[in-house]
Amino acid sequence: MLLSILVYGLTAAILCYLGWHVSHREQQARLTYGEDFQLPFYSWEILLSILVIAVVAGARWHTGYDHEMYLNEYTRLLEDGDFKRQRFEWGFKLISKAFALIKAHYFFFFAFWALLQSSLLYFALRDKKFLLPFIGLNLMLGVYFYNWCNSMRQATVACLFIALIPLISKRSWRNFILYTLVVLFATSIHRSAFILLPLYLFTFYKGGFGDRQYHRVVGIAAFALSIVVGVYPVWFKTFTFMPSLLEWVGYDAYNQSALLESLLNGEFRQVHFGPARMSVIIT
């Protein structure tokens, strides 16, 4: 426990400092080059932040049930040349087998996925560098890094969606086609990416993304829904009567496991006050 507090706390401090440094350096440069000046995405602070996240993710241990599942599956892939679980999407299988082909240690396998996730997130925020110090704190002191490590494929798709938001905010047929193609490709990592396709429909509201009132309504609704879905697992009750939908998005295993009963009984509800909540106060 003490080691976890030390590693996560130190990593949060490093990411916060690097985020502050690149933001401050950009602000100072704007005094000379003008208000529109921006440091590139590949600034050393951002690249170092991504590398730090990847190293910590690669070296992690016992971060949840799914992490052990991925570790066992990759170990089996190294030894036998195939997965025990055959329901992985083809894109995830292809990348995993590429690592297994060169006999890469599982450290590099897990580090790659964290590298991909953090690269997408930082790329999405390349024009909002003032947010990076807070991103580092929330990522490591909140539940996000744990989710990245545990729900690896889903988290990768979620980070990809953040990077795709500019395509949504600037509505055009070209952006729509590009967004659709990327989302369809993302389904090769996890099938739940199909859920992202209808989100483009929000841009057809006449006010669009420039309407602040529209922002508030959608934001409040999304926030309320996330609380219901994330904290209270009552939504599983609906899905138990919709096994075909669960199977379509790749969650049918939960419909047939003891985990569903535990969720419905509230055993996984987060009611404690600890490090996962501290990030809200700090930031």
Side-chain angles (χ1 to χ4, degrees):
M1 179 179 177
L2 292 178
L3 180 60
S4 295
I5 293 175
L6 177 62
V7 171
Y8 283 83
L10 182 60
T11 304
I14 292 173
L15 294 178
C16 181
Y17 172 75
L18 291 173
W20 170 83
H21 193 277
V22 69
S23 177
H24 178 72
R25 195 157 64 90
E26 184 174 85
Q27 292 296 328
Q28 292 298 313
R30 286 178 176 177
L31 297 177
T32 302
Y33 301 107
E35 289 296 324
D36 295 331
F37 177 82
Q38 291 184 345
L39 291 175
F41 163 70
Y42 49 84
S43 300
W44 68 267
E45 297 96 335
I46 294 179
L47 295 181
L48 184 56
S49 297
I50 294 172
L51 181 61
V52 168
I53 294 172
V55 169
V56 174
R60 76 190 190 275
W61 188 253
H62 290 302
T63 51
Y65 170 80
D66 281 357
H67 166 255
E68 294 186 15
M69 179 271 293
Y70 283 121
L71 178 60
N72 292 334
E73 289 289 348
Y74 184 69
T75 302
R76 181 187 175 102
L77 182 62
L78 285 173
E79 296 173 350
D80 302 336
D82 199 6
F83 290 107
K84 177 181 180 181
R85 175 179 174 178
Q86 295 299 321
R87 291 187 58 81
F88 287 128
E89 293 78 4
W90 67 266
F92 179 79
K93 284 184 177 180
L94 184 64
I95 295 173
S96 300
K97 289 183 178 180
F99 275 90
L101 185 64
I102 61 175
K103 302 297 181 181
H105 191 272
Y106 64 78
F107 168 88
F108 297 101
F109 174 71
F110 288 121
F112 165 79
W113 289 104
L115 184 77
L116 180 59
Q117 293 162 353
S118 54
S119 296
L120 290 169
L121 178 62
Y122 275 80
F123 179 77
L125 299 174
R126 64 191 182 281
D127 298 333
K128 302 287 188 300
K129 295 185 180 66
F130 65 91
L131 293 175
L132 296 184
F134 309 104
I135 292 296
L137 287 177
N138 272 290
L139 180 62
M140 301 308 302
L141 299 182
V143 299
Y144 303 104
F145 183 76
Y146 177 85
N147 289 337
W148 278 17
C149 296
N150 202 39
S151 303
M152 198 164 62
R153 291 175 295 146
Q154 298 94 318
T156 302
V157 171
C159 291
L160 176 62
F161 171 68
I162 298 175
L164 289 176
I165 288 179
L167 295 180
I168 301 177
S169 60
K170 300 176 181 178
R171 187 179 64 182
S172 69
W173 281 109
R174 178 180 178 275
N175 286 348
F176 172 71
I177 294 173
L178 181 59
Y179 176 84
T180 302
L181 291 176
V182 174
V183 168
L184 290 177
F185 176 77
T187 60
S188 69
I189 304 300
H190 198 276
R191 280 175 290 173
S192 62
F194 278 116
I195 300 174
L196 301 178
L197 288 175
L199 295 181
Y200 202 92
L201 298 177
F202 283 107
T203 63
F204 289 95
Y205 170 68
K206 64 179 181 180
F209 273 70
D211 190 327
R212 293 186 178 181
Q213 186 64 27
Y214 180 60
H215 282 174
R216 294 190 185 98
V217 173
V218 173
I220 293 174
F223 180 71
L225 182 62
S226 67
I227 293 177
V228 174
V229 171
V231 180
Y232 300 101
V234 294
W235 62 291
F236 270 99
K237 293 182 179 180
T238 303
F239 278 7
T240 56
F241 298 101
M242 302 170 66
S244 58
L245 179 59
L246 277 172
E247 183 176 0
W248 183 59
V249 297
Y251 286 109
D252 52 309
Y254 294 105
N255 193 41
Q256 303 170 359
S257 68
L259 176 61
L260 178 61
E261 183 178 354
S262 298
L263 286 170
L264 293 178
N265 290 333
E267 296 177 13
F268 282 73
R269 293 184 184 180
Q270 300 177 1
V271 295
H272 62 281
F273 184 85
R277 299 292 183 267
M278 289 300 294
S279 61
V280 178
I281 299 175
I282 294 174
T283 57

